[in-house]
Amino acid sequence: MDKLVVTGGARLAGEVTISGAKNAALPILCASLLSAEPLRLTNVPALNDIGTMLKLLAQMGVKVERAGAEVTLNAGALSNPVAPYELVKTMRASILVLGPLVARCGEASVSLPGGCAIGARPVDQHIKGLQSMGAEVGVEHGYVVAKVGRLKGARLFTDMVTVTGTENLMMAACLADGETVIENAAREPEVVDLAQCLISMGAQISGAGTDLIRIRGVEKLRAASHRIMPDRIETGTFLCAAAITGGEIRLLGTSTGYLDAVVDKLLDAGCEITGEKTAKQESIHIIAPPRLKAVSIRTAPYPAFPTDMQAQFMAINAVADGTAVIRETIFENRFMHAVEMQRLGADIKIDGNTAVMKGVEKLQGATVMATDLRASASLVVAGLVAEGETHIERIYHLDRGYANIEAKLNALGANIKRERA
Ligand code: UD1
C-alpha cells in the first residue's frame, strides 16, 4: 500500500487551484440515472470515489465518456438497476443510486453499505422516505430491494438532518406523481448544487438550501449541462495547511461563501482571510501568523462547523497557543486521528464525543496510520509542522477524496513524497 512521507518545516506560499466538490459530484453523477437524455458535467474532480461511481453507473448500462474534468453520462438504456456489494463497500455514497433508480426504473437493488470507520451510518431515513412515497422496500440478503409502479409525492420528515438522505429523496421526488415536501432537509451547499443541476434537467424544485424543499414531480427530465461547485472541504483543508505553517497562499476557483464557519474560526486563530472576485474567477487569500491561537469547535449540520473539517482543526490546535475543546456531534466515532496525533506528540484527552487539547510547541515526526478520508488529511496537515519525517500509511483513503494532494502541497513549498508499495 502506498504511503506518504512528509518532511515538516516548510512555510507554504503560492497559489493552488481547488477542484470540483466530491460531495456535489457524486449525487450529481447519480442524477444522470433520472433521464434518458445526456447529462454533461464539468469541473468533475479526478478522485478514486468518482472512478468508483462511474464504474457503478456503467455496469447499470449508463454510457460514460470522460475527458479530463468533463464527463458526459447517457442513461438512455438502463439494463441493470443493481449496485453490487463489491463497489458499495468501498464507497458509502453508492447509496445515492437508490432514489434515482426507483424513480426511473420502478425497481432497485442496492447493497447495504455496512459499517465504516467513523460510525454505524445507517440508511434507514433513505428507506423510510421511499416507503412514504409508496415504494415497497425491504432488505434481502444484504441488499436494499425496492419496487414501485410510480412513486407518489408525499410529505417527508427525516428524524435527523441527513445530507445524502435529502439528496436521494429529492432526486426520487423529481419523477414522482404529485408534490413532495422534504422537512428537516439538509441545507448543505452540495444539496443546492444538486438541485440546480436537477432544475436545469427540467425538475421543479424550490427551497433547496433551506430546511424545507418542495419538489413537483414531472414525467421526465431532459438533457442538461452543469458545472460542479468548488470543493469546500478541500478549500478548508488547504486553508488549514497554510495556517499551520504560518504561510500565505491564494486558493483559486473557490470562494469563502460556502465556508463561513471555517473562515470564522481561522480568523479567531489569528489568520487574515479575504475573498477576492475578478471577472474570471473567485479566490481566497490567507495570511497566517507565526503561531495560531487555539480555537474550540463544535460540529453540526450546515451552516454550522462541518464534521469533515474537524480533524484538520485538531491538527491546528495540536500546535496552537492555548487550550481548545472539540465536540463532534455528527458521527459517534470520529476521533481516530487523535490517537495518531498523540503519536506525533499532541496533548489530547478524549471523553466520549469531546476532545480537550493543549497546544504544544512542536510535534515530532512518527509513523501514523490514516483511518478515514479526513483523518488522513489531518495527518498530512500535522506532518507539515512536525520535526523530521512523518510516515502516513494507508493513504488510499486520501486518494478517494483529494485530487493530487501531495503535488498541490509540494507546489506550495511542502516536502511530501509518495512511496509506492
Ligand atoms: C455526507 C457527506 C460526508 C459528511 C456527512 C455529514 C457525502 C457523499 N458525504 O455523508 O462527507 O461527513 O454528510 O456532513 O455527501 N443517519 C442515520 N440514518 C440515515 C442517514 C443518516 O442515522 O438514514 C445519521 C448518520 O449516521 C450520521 C448523521 O445521520 O450520524 C448524518 O449523516 P449524513 O448527513 O447522512 O451523512 P452522509 O450523507 O452519509
Side-chain angles (χ1 to χ4, degrees):
M1 264 181 261
D2 289 4
K3 69 173 180 177
L4 289 184
V5 181
V6 185
T7 306
R11 174 178 179 269
L12 298 194
E15 292 185 345
V16 61
T17 299
I18 296 303
S19 303
K22 168 178 91 71
N23 286 354
L26 291 172
I28 289 173
L29 291 171
C30 296
S32 68
L33 292 167
L34 288 165
S35 169
E37 296 182 21
L39 177 62
R40 182 180 151 268
L41 302 172
T42 53
N43 205 29
V44 179
L47 302 171
N48 285 355
D49 271 8
I50 298 295
T52 306
M53 186 60 90
L54 291 176
K55 219 191 266 180
L56 183 61
L57 295 173
Q59 64 87 42
M60 291 173 186
V62 179
K63 288 206 181 63
V64 177
E65 283 168 39
R66 188 175 188 184
E70 186 173 323
V71 175
T72 303
L73 303 126
N74 190 329
L78 280 182
S79 49
N80 182 32
V82 177
Y85 179 64
E86 291 62 43
L87 289 171
V88 177
K89 74 174 182 205
T90 64
M91 187 183 62
R92 298 183 44 80
S94 312
I95 193 71
L96 284 162
V97 301
L98 179 65
L101 282 178
V102 181
R104 170 99 185 280
C105 308
E107 58 172 328
S109 180
V110 178
S111 170
L112 275 171
C116 82
I118 62 177
R121 296 182 85 176
V123 292
D124 54 311
Q125 301 302 311
H126 305 232
I127 294 175
K128 186 179 91 170
L130 291 172
Q131 284 170 334
S132 304
M133 296 169 82
E136 265 179 49
V137 191
V139 176
E140 294 173 18
H141 305 287
Y143 280 69
V144 179
V145 179
K147 275 197 187 62
V148 71
R150 183 178 178 193
L151 290 170
K152 286 192 180 46
R155 207 170 179 89
L156 309 177
F157 183 86
T158 53
D159 296 352
M160 76 290 295
V161 177
T162 156
V163 178
T164 49
T166 301
E167 292 166 341
N168 233 338
L169 299 174
M170 182 167 72
M171 288 192 278
C174 287
L175 295 181
D177 183 15
E179 186 181 75
T180 299
V181 176
I182 307 176
E183 290 185 59
N184 201 24
R187 292 180 282 168
E188 266 67 3
E190 293 77 12
V191 174
V192 179
D193 205 32
L194 170 64
Q196 278 163 356
C197 177
L198 292 166
I199 289 168
S200 53
M201 294 166 75
Q204 295 189 9
I205 302 174
S206 62
T210 74
D211 61 3
L212 195 138
I213 304 179
R214 277 178 201 281
I215 307 111
R216 178 158 287 284
V218 296
E219 292 279 337
K220 56 182 183 174
L221 297 179
R222 56 174 182 261
S225 290
H226 180 80
R227 181 177 170 81
I228 306 290
M229 65 174 283
D231 196 311
R232 64 192 168 99
I233 306 301
E234 188 194 21
T235 304
T237 304
F238 275 88
L239 287 173
C240 286
I244 203 169
T245 66
E248 172 175 359
I249 69 168
R250 181 167 277 110
L251 299 89
L252 307 176
T254 186
S255 125
T256 51
Y258 320 106
L259 271 171
D260 285 344
V262 170
V263 166
D264 250 30
K265 290 295 174 184
L266 289 171
L267 294 175
D268 288 351
C271 298
E272 282 174 45
I273 299 179
T274 37
E276 297 164 351
K277 195 171 182 173
T278 64
K280 219 174 107 213
Q281 69 176 342
E282 291 193 73
S283 60
I284 305 176
H285 184 222
I286 176 169
I287 306 176
R291 189 165 189 208
L292 298 166
K293 287 186 282 230
V295 282
S296 293
I297 58 169
R298 177 179 179 277
T299 67
Y302 190 84
F305 192 92
T307 174
D308 286 351
M309 284 302 303
Q310 178 256 105
Q312 299 86 321
F313 270 71
M314 193 173 270
I316 280 187
N317 282 319
V319 289
D321 182 19
T323 302
V325 178
I326 297 185
R327 283 196 58 211
E328 171 59 52
T329 76
I330 307 284
F331 293 112
E332 70 267 29
N333 188 22
R334 207 173 197 182
F335 277 150
M336 270 136 17
H337 42 281
V339 265
E340 302 300 315
M341 280 185 207
Q342 284 166 342
R343 310 199 66 251
L344 300 175
D347 180 348
I348 311 173
K349 290 189 179 53
I350 304 282
D351 182 10
N353 70 349
T354 304
V356 180
M357 310 188 57
K358 195 166 175 316
V360 297
E361 291 279 337
K362 274 269 163 226
L363 293 176
Q364 289 157 11
T367 297
V368 290
M369 187 104 81
T371 46
D372 71 64
L373 172 52
R374 306 304 169 185
S376 319
S378 74
L379 295 172
V380 174
V381 172
L384 291 173
V385 291
E387 266 173 350
E389 289 186 350
T390 299
H391 292 239
I392 306 172
E393 298 189 342
R394 294 207 184 162
I395 52 144
Y396 56 86
H397 294 292
L398 206 55
D399 296 331
R400 285 186 37 221
Y402 289 89
N404 234 338
I405 192 167
E406 74 266 29
K408 285 187 177 183
L409 284 168
N410 285 343
L412 296 170
N415 183 349
I416 307 178
K417 282 191 310 252
R418 180 177 289 247
E419 288 186 0
R420 300 204 182 266

